[in-house]
Structures are given as C-alpha cells and as structure tokens.
Amino acid sequence: PDGPQGFEYELASLFAEHLGVALNIYVPGNFSVMLDSVADGRADLAAAGLTVTEERSERFRFGPAYLDVMPQVIYRMGNRRPRSLADMVDGKFVVMANTRHTELLREFAPDYPGLTWTEDPDADSEELLFRVQNGEIDYTVADSTEFNISRYYYPEIRLAFDLGDPEPVAWAFRPGFDDSLYRASLPFFDELKSSGRLAQLIERAYGHATEFDYVGTRRFLEHIDSRLPRYQEYFIEAARSTGVDWRLLAAIGYQESHWNPRAVSPTGVRGIMMLTQSTARMLGIEDRVDPRQSIMGGARYLVRMRRRIPERITEPDRTWMALASYNVGFGHLEDARILTESQGGNPDRWADVRQRLPLLAQKKYYSKLKRGYARGWEPVIYVDNIRSYYDVLQWATSDRYLAYSQEPPDDEDSSAAEEDQEPEN
C-alpha cells in the first residue's frame, strides 16, 4: 500500500545502486510470463523467490543463492490434516501454474495413483492461501517464507507437511553470450554476505515471523474490526503530530493493551499505551486512561526514544531499537549494544543486538554491564510482536485487504466486555 517494498525489491534496489543504474521494475501478470520475459529479453533478470532447479537451469543463468526455502503443503485448520500426498486424493488441490511446485508434484505423482491437482495460471500464492483459509479449496503448496508471513493474515491455514527438501533461491538472468550482468552479481552478493547486510535484510523481512500464536492472531484480526475504529482517529492525529506511521503506533497500542483504555498492569502502568506515572508526568499527560492522551503520550515517548538512538543507525533498525528502549529502557539497550560489539557483532544492527538482549538476564554478562540485570528476552518478544501487528495493519488497510475481507465475527460485541479484563501481554 505504500509503494514498492519487500525483500526482493530491496535486494534489486541495492544491486542497481551497486551498478550505478536505475532500477526499472516490470510486474507481469503471472509466474510463467515473468520467466518468459527474461527468456525473450524483455527483462534482464527475474527476482521473485525463484528456486534453482535443473529444468530452469537449462533455460536461465542463476546467480548466487541467497536464501533457502521449503515447499510446503498447506491445509485449513479444522479439516483432517494430510500426512502425505496419499491422503490428498479426494481433496480439491490447487497450485500455481508453471512453478517449482508443479514440477515437484509431477515428480511425486507416479508414487501416488489417484492424486490430482489443478494448476491455476492466474492465481498467486497469497490468493491460493486465502482460498484455503476461506474453504474454497482444500490444499495448496507454498514456500515456507510465504506461509510464515501469510499465516498472520490468514490464521486458519496450517502446515500439513514439507514437500521435498529445502531448495536454494536465486535470481534468474537472461541467457545468452553476454553474461556481464550475471558476473556483476557475484561480487555484489559476496559483499552482501560478508558485510552481514544480507542477514540484516533477511531478518528485516522474515525474522519476526518465526513464532505464531493462532488464538492471538485471530483475536487481533477481530479487534481490527471491533476495537480499532474507536481509536483510529487518535492514532492518525498522533501520527500527524509526530511523523510516525499511525499503523505502527496502533501496533504498539495493541501490544501494550489490546486497545483497552482501562488496561492496568501489575506494576501500575495504565492505558492504551501503558504509560508509567512518571513518564506521563514528564510528557504532560494528566489522564493516562484517556485514550487520546495516552496515544499522544505514547507517540511522543517513542519519538523521544528514537531521537536517543545514534543518528548513524538507519531505518528500520532505528525504529526497532527505539521500540526496544520503549520496553526495556534506553540504558539496557545500550548495554546490549556494548555487549554486541564486544562479541564481534554490529551494535548498529538490530539483528545482532536482538541476539544479545536475552543475555542481559545471565549473571556472567549483566554483572559486567553498567545497568545490570534486565529481562532481556522481553524486548525481543515485544519488538517481534509489534512488527507482526504492524505488517498485518499495513495489509489490513490496503486495497487488497478490502477485496479479501470476510464477514465480521458474529460475536463482535463480545469483545467490548473483555476491556475490563487485564490484557494478555
């Protein structure tokens, strides 16, 4: 919804910058057209999570592998889980046409008499996962990266089993005698890997999507419809005042209180943004339980935390560290950054600092740090959750969500009664 973004887009943008050329993006209608565009010279390379196979290698020149994915069979929760392709002979099985998934199915088909599937030339992976979620089809195949992200949007989908082995992902370059672009990609990826930038990009795209809470995700999607509209105008007002994306502020508010203005923690923090009394006083907030005041205060506090992060740290790492400070305190974040550097990591990279934060709870580490002990795993979970909520909110406010949206839950009003309960942080 905010223009071109995503893992492959960032990689391609960096490659264009490395070459000193402009990046021209062509988005074809389906998967096979994309590969044909490279084969016939309309495009120089295809960057779309392409797995390297023998069949494709006969048509294209693949660059260095930068990711491994697992093809996976997906079904809907509540239906009988298939344990192998033998259990799927009676179901409605649809996959994307002209993909590695169809190649795998053809390889396995002789061992499973009666197995049939439909190859849809117009559907993409997200659409097929939505159709599984909606009960229109019984099974599809998706790569593990696609499934891990999409299950936050479609919480009814489930992993049945892995289809084959992990497979490398790489760019497909135009075949022919001129291999200069392919050769230019070799030092580019070498530098990305050796500098740690590739690991940073992978963490940015997929690092927060390793854990999944079905009940929490389902409730979040329901609360987007039932609770968020009551406070959305305040989040938007706070965004205009601070320059922070309102959906990020809303994600913080949901992590803090489940958008419950009367939320109270055992330590006495209150309101949608769960401000302490001292923080509220510092920010000039008179009533922490007032939704507008709480949201405005939380937004201003996040800006304060982000300003304390060294200017050399770029986005989005700057925001993730500010969020960690919001949760655990700036001093403990600094301790984690010092520990990161002492262990050979990059203290300006969230992926590296994230690994060291839990060490703040171990005596052999915290005893040597200025601020001492901290429950360092909490800011890691905190930031991961907010990133997941933020991803979903960006999707939920896009045109695509409107096309995919379903009927609101029958017990929509029941969520209002939950507001008097303590939030499940």
Side-chain angles (χ1 to χ4, degrees), residues 4-240:
Q5 58 183 251
F7 178 65
E8 295 283 8
Y9 171 73
E10 291 194 53
L11 273 183
S13 297
L14 289 172
F15 187 45
E17 182 181 327
H18 171 79
L19 296 172
V21 300
L23 176 65
N24 295 307
I25 304 171
Y26 167 50
V27 184
N30 58 54
F31 203 79
S32 60
V33 172
M34 177 184 65
L35 293 176
D36 290 343
S37 298
V38 176
D40 63 20
R42 282 176 289 166
D44 296 302
L45 65 89
L50 291 167
T51 50
V52 181
T53 68
E54 290 185 13
E55 182 177 331
R56 288 176 180 169
S57 296
E58 293 176 358
R59 296 183 63 200
F60 305 99
R61 181 181 288 113
F62 280 96
Y66 51 85
L67 194 66
D68 286 322
V69 298
M70 177 73 78
Q72 298 176 323
V73 172
I74 309 302
Y75 76 110
R76 189 181 191 279
M77 189 185 76
N79 295 342
R80 183 177 61 87
R81 176 185 176 182
R83 301 290 177 174
S84 72
L85 292 172
D87 298 332
M88 300 167 56
V89 294
D90 296 325
K92 188 173 183 181
F93 188 10
V94 183
V95 296
M96 293 168 53
N98 303 305
T99 63
R100 173 56 177 161
H101 303 157
T102 59
E103 294 177 16
L104 282 171
L105 290 174
R106 293 191 192 104
E107 292 174 12
F108 290 130
D111 297 326
Y112 299 95
L115 176 68
T116 60
W117 64 89
T118 300
E119 299 180 17
D120 191 326
D122 299 317
D124 61 17
S125 182
E126 184 178 356
E127 179 181 342
L128 292 178
L129 290 171
F130 169 75
R131 289 165 67 182
V132 173
Q133 156 94 7
N134 220 28
E136 297 175 21
I137 61 177
D138 297 304
Y139 315 112
T140 191
V141 179
D143 287 335
S144 51
T145 49
E146 297 168 334
F147 169 69
N148 285 335
I149 294 295
S150 295
R151 61 185 176 170
Y152 288 95
Y153 313 141
Y154 311 128
E156 307 291 339
I157 62 176
R158 286 290 183 274
L159 166 62
F161 56 89
D162 295 332
L163 190 67
D165 300 314
E167 299 183 327
V169 173
W171 286 346
F173 290 88
R174 184 192 302 175
F177 293 107
D178 185 358
D179 65 350
S180 57
L181 192 62
Y182 159 76
R183 285 188 286 105
S185 75
L186 303 181
F188 167 72
F189 276 103
D190 281 344
E191 195 279 331
L192 273 188
K193 293 175 182 178
S194 62
S195 68
R197 188 69 185 277
L198 180 60
Q200 183 181 21
L201 293 174
I202 292 173
E203 194 283 331
R204 182 185 301 178
Y206 307 116
H208 62 296
T210 56
E211 301 294 335
F212 179 72
D213 171 15
Y214 166 74
V215 175
T217 300
R218 186 67 184 177
R219 181 182 294 178
F220 178 53
L221 292 172
E222 292 174 358
H223 285 173
I224 288 176
D225 291 327
S226 63
R227 291 189 181 184
L228 180 58
R230 307 175 201 172
Y231 313 113
Q232 183 170 332
E233 64 179 291
Y234 301 141
F235 286 118
I236 293 174
E237 180 185 356
R240 289 172 178 160

Side-chain angles (χ1 to χ4, degrees), residues 142-378:
D143 287 335
S144 51
T145 49
E146 297 168 334
F147 169 69
N148 285 335
I149 294 295
S150 295
R151 61 185 176 170
Y152 288 95
Y153 313 141
Y154 311 128
E156 307 291 339
I157 62 176
R158 286 290 183 274
L159 166 62
F161 56 89
D162 295 332
L163 190 67
D165 300 314
E167 299 183 327
V169 173
W171 286 346
F173 290 88
R174 184 192 302 175
F177 293 107
D178 185 358
D179 65 350
S180 57
L181 192 62
Y182 159 76
R183 285 188 286 105
S185 75
L186 303 181
F188 167 72
F189 276 103
D190 281 344
E191 195 279 331
L192 273 188
K193 293 175 182 178
S194 62
S195 68
R197 188 69 185 277
L198 180 60
Q200 183 181 21
L201 293 174
I202 292 173
E203 194 283 331
R204 182 185 301 178
Y206 307 116
H208 62 296
T210 56
E211 301 294 335
F212 179 72
D213 171 15
Y214 166 74
V215 175
T217 300
R218 186 67 184 177
R219 181 182 294 178
F220 178 53
L221 292 172
E222 292 174 358
H223 285 173
I224 288 176
D225 291 327
S226 63
R227 291 189 181 184
L228 180 58
R230 307 175 201 172
Y231 313 113
Q232 183 170 332
E233 64 179 291
Y234 301 141
F235 286 118
I236 293 174
E237 180 185 356
R240 289 172 178 160
S241 174
T242 61
V244 179
D245 189 332
W246 76 266
R247 295 163 299 187
L248 177 60
L249 296 175
I252 297 170
Y254 193 80
Q255 169 64 21
E256 293 286 358
S257 68
H258 288 190
W259 297 324
N260 176 2
R262 293 189 292 276
V264 182
S265 83
T267 57
V269 293
R270 293 176 176 270
I272 283 182
M273 305 299 273
M274 298 296 272
L275 302 176
T276 65
Q277 193 169 23
S278 60
T279 299
R281 189 182 304 114
M282 175 188 68
L283 295 167
I285 302 300
E286 297 179 357
D287 185 359
R288 289 182 288 163
V289 178
D290 177 78
R292 180 180 177 277
Q293 291 189 49
S294 181
I295 291 168
M296 294 296 291
R300 292 202 298 269
Y301 188 63
L302 175 63
V303 170
R304 280 173 175 257
M305 291 295 102
R306 191 153 63 180
R307 284 174 180 166
R308 298 187 71 181
I309 305 299
E311 292 184 3
R312 65 178 179 274
I313 299 178
T314 58
E315 292 293 356
D317 294 55
R318 188 179 184 85
T319 292
W320 306 150
M321 290 193 192
L323 288 172
S325 296
Y326 191 109
N327 175 261
V328 76
F330 180 77
H332 288 303
L333 175 70
E334 282 297 287
D335 279 350
R337 294 182 62 239
I338 291 170
L339 183 58
T340 299
E341 187 171 26
S342 71
Q343 294 185 346
N346 186 340
D348 296 344
R349 182 182 299 141
W350 169 246
D352 289 4
V353 176
R354 180 185 183 278
Q355 293 178 10
R356 275 74 179 192
L357 273 164
L359 301 181
L360 300 185
Q362 298 183 26
K363 187 174 182 178
K364 67 177 181 178
Y365 296 109
Y366 74 70
S367 61
K368 300 176 183 178
L369 297 170
K370 182 177 180 180
R371 287 86 178 179
Y373 172 85
R375 296 189 296 272
W377 64 87
E378 288 189 356

